[in-house]
Amino acid sequence: MINISAWECRDQADQAEIYYNHPLRAKNRRLEDENLALKRLLRENGISWQGRPKPAQTSNARITRSTSKAMCKPLPHIPVEIQLRIMFFALISPHPIVDPLSKLKPEHLLAREKSKTNHIAIHFLATCKAYYAEGTKYLWTNNSFTFTTPEALKNFAEVDLAFRCDIKEVNFRIIAKYYDDEERAHKIGRYHHPDLKKPVKLTVHKRPKENNLARRGFRTYGWYQLVDFLTALLPPFDPSRIPHYNGAVIEYPTPLPKLLPALEKLRIDFVNFGDDLLNSPPPQLHDLASHQLGCTLNEVILTGVPGDDSGQRVAGELAGLLKDEGLIIDHAPVMLGVKNGVRILSSEGLSGGYTAKVVRAMRVIAHHHHDDAHSHFFGAEFPAAPHDEGEPPYSMYHSCRTIWKKVPVGLDGDDERGWMLFDRMSGLPWEEVEDEATMFDFLSDEEEEMMVCDNCGEIHPGAIPPVEMMDFYDEL
């Protein structure tokens, strides 16, 4: 087993294949092949495909309304409301739809995704225009979607913006691809997940050595793939929004909407991102996560992020996607990429399950020096993440320093959630920081009196001390 890190790259051979298989070019090739086949069929039967067809022979028999009714059997009538109700359930899949509008790659699919269809009656849409109009809305707004390639996400721009505006959450499955121009084995260690009894050999794509100055050796399309996924979320070109031309200057009247304008929750499953296998992420990640797409989501779920320095940096950068008081969850790997597909890893045996954190929660209630140090002011107001529905349980520790959030009980597809109390200053669960947060409570100038919170002026557990006291504590 060779312990070396892979250089980040976009493989030229893969990029060339993606360009060749672009949906528009693939559609044109299919139409050309179909036209050639039809021309060949006409020539074989002695028919010129360039000549004008003769008018069809018309029957002398006159068909009236009464005779047409007699020729066709009457069909049973179902009320329109019931028809729409049937179509509503027929176009909802019990499982996420993988890579809609794109060709599926078997190596990116789970075993159940290969053996099962989406269980939707898609042929409803080809029945008539009315069914197409109503059914398309049901299809895109009532299903969940999983994307396994940046190209599949970009192709989703073909869906009408009116339907994309209703999508609230989406799932990215990012499978790291590895390349090497030498014959050597690369493996993910047994410690990657408790399900692994021995190191697992990675699927490495062999590339020939080239006589140029390009970087050689062990390479990967990992963090760059994450960058390409996030780039695909940026506003796509919309021909209906033709810009105004003022001479040589192109003026857009309004900002273009993002691919998923109403996106609130994003889950990213990192597959085969082993510890110490990848180098630092590219600088484009910060620009995308913290600026172009920054402060837009309410919740981000990450699974399989490496525990090394590069993985921690990526998790920190992706926190920039969240609004103030947004929730980020970091979970152990739940999938493993193998030669012919993706394997599910169980959550049993994982210590702690996952870690949850609330980001920039102090900015919302702080009015002075306790404001978050990473605040950015770009002349725009970003609203905080909305409060979760329901009434949280009573806690004596609930104050200006704490915040209740609903967190998922598990990530196995169940939507069950439970309340958890977080510390606004550190962002961590209160039970993890309670001892440290309450250490100043009885350090008031008057003995046997609890300290008054420097933020809200009230007395409560975990009162925020004056900045002078915190500076003194940091120097110790």
Side-chain angles (χ1 to χ4, degrees), residues 61-232:
R62 183 168 177 264
I63 300 177
T64 62
R65 183 178 302 177
S66 59
T67 57
S68 63
K69 288 184 177 180
M71 295 169 59
C72 302
K73 290 185 177 181
L75 297 175
H77 175 71
I78 301 177
V80 176
E81 294 80 3
I82 298 179
Q83 295 180 36
L84 295 179
R85 193 66 175 169
I86 293 173
M87 186 164 55
F88 175 83
F89 289 106
L91 291 174
I92 297 179
S93 173
H95 308 288
I97 299 177
V98 181
D99 290 343
L101 305 181
S102 299
K103 185 178 179 180
L104 297 178
K105 294 187 176 182
E107 63 272 18
H108 292 176
L109 302 179
L110 303 172
R112 68 165 183 257
E113 294 169 345
K114 294 180 181 178
S115 59
K116 297 181 180 179
T117 61
N118 290 321
H119 299 283
I120 56 177
I122 193 66
H123 301 293
F124 256 121
L125 305 182
T127 305
C128 63
K129 291 183 178 180
Y131 278 6
Y132 180 83
E134 293 295 332
T136 304
K137 178 180 179 181
Y138 294 151
L139 175 66
W140 298 122
T141 59
N142 295 303
N143 286 295
S144 57
F145 304 98
T146 297
F147 297 94
T148 65
T149 63
E151 294 71 42
L153 185 59
K154 291 178 181 178
N155 294 341
F156 200 67
E158 297 294 328
V159 178
D160 192 88
L161 177 62
F163 303 137
R164 288 189 276 118
C165 285
D166 293 331
I167 297 178
K168 304 294 185 182
E169 58 183 81
V170 75
N171 187 1
F172 295 165
R173 185 183 301 167
I174 304 180
I175 305 173
K177 296 188 68 174
Y178 295 94
Y179 312 89
D180 204 343
D181 53 16
E182 298 182 16
E183 291 290 345
R184 47 186 172 180
H186 302 276
K187 300 180 180 180
I188 289 184
R190 180 174 56 87
Y191 52 84
H192 186 66
H193 193 275
D195 278 2
L196 306 182
K197 305 305 179 184
K198 61 180 181 179
V200 178
K201 185 177 180 181
L202 289 170
T203 300
V204 180
H205 301 268
K206 185 69 168 60
R207 292 293 183 260
K209 290 186 176 181
E210 299 182 23
N211 187 23
N212 55 32
L213 300 179
R215 179 167 284 168
R216 303 177 180 177
F218 188 37
R219 306 181 295 277
T220 182
Y221 181 44
W223 300 137
Y224 270 132
Q225 190 174 175
L226 171 61
V227 168
D228 292 342
F229 265 98
L230 295 180
T231 303

Side-chain angles (χ1 to χ4, degrees), residues 218-400:
F218 188 37
R219 306 181 295 277
T220 182
Y221 181 44
W223 300 137
Y224 270 132
Q225 190 174 175
L226 171 61
V227 168
D228 292 342
F229 265 98
L230 295 180
T231 303
L233 290 176
L234 296 177
F237 176 74
D238 187 356
S240 64
R241 291 173 167 263
I242 300 177
H244 298 288
Y245 291 90
N246 183 13
V249 180
I250 302 176
E251 299 178 358
Y252 285 89
T254 58
L256 296 176
K258 296 182 177 64
L259 179 70
L260 303 174
L263 188 64
E264 297 177 353
K265 177 182 174 182
L266 174 63
R267 171 171 170 170
I268 305 179
D269 295 318
F270 293 91
V271 184
N272 288 4
F273 283 75
D275 290 352
D276 301 322
L277 272 176
L278 292 85
N279 285 298
S280 299
Q284 295 92 331
L285 178 60
H286 175 77
D287 178 61
L288 286 165
S290 297
H291 298 284
Q292 299 192 53
L293 299 172
C295 297
T296 56
L297 304 181
N298 299 334
E299 181 176 308
V300 172
I301 299 178
L302 309 176
T303 70
V305 177
D308 54 13
D309 293 341
S310 65
Q312 293 178 10
R313 179 179 171 185
V314 167
E317 295 288 6
L318 292 177
L321 295 168
L322 291 166
K323 301 177 182 178
D324 296 346
E325 297 185 354
L327 180 68
I328 184 169
I329 294 176
D330 191 354
H331 194 280
V334 296
M335 300 179 186
L336 180 69
V338 292
K339 185 176 182 180
N340 298 320
V342 179
R343 167 188 165 190
I344 288 288
L345 301 175
S346 68
S347 58
E348 298 180 1
L350 296 175
S351 58
Y354 62 80
T355 59
K357 186 177 181 180
V358 177
V359 301
R360 299 185 302 277
M362 204 63 198
R363 279 187 57 186
V364 181
I365 56 98
H367 307 291
H368 42 72
H369 51 264
H370 294 297
D371 198 357
D372 190 271
H374 295 87
S375 300
H376 299 288
F377 300 95
F378 295 101
E381 293 293 333
F382 299 98
H387 295 288
D388 295 318
E389 297 181 356
E391 186 68 23
Y394 169 78
S395 174
M396 63 177 293
Y397 297 107
H398 184 47
S399 63
C400 74

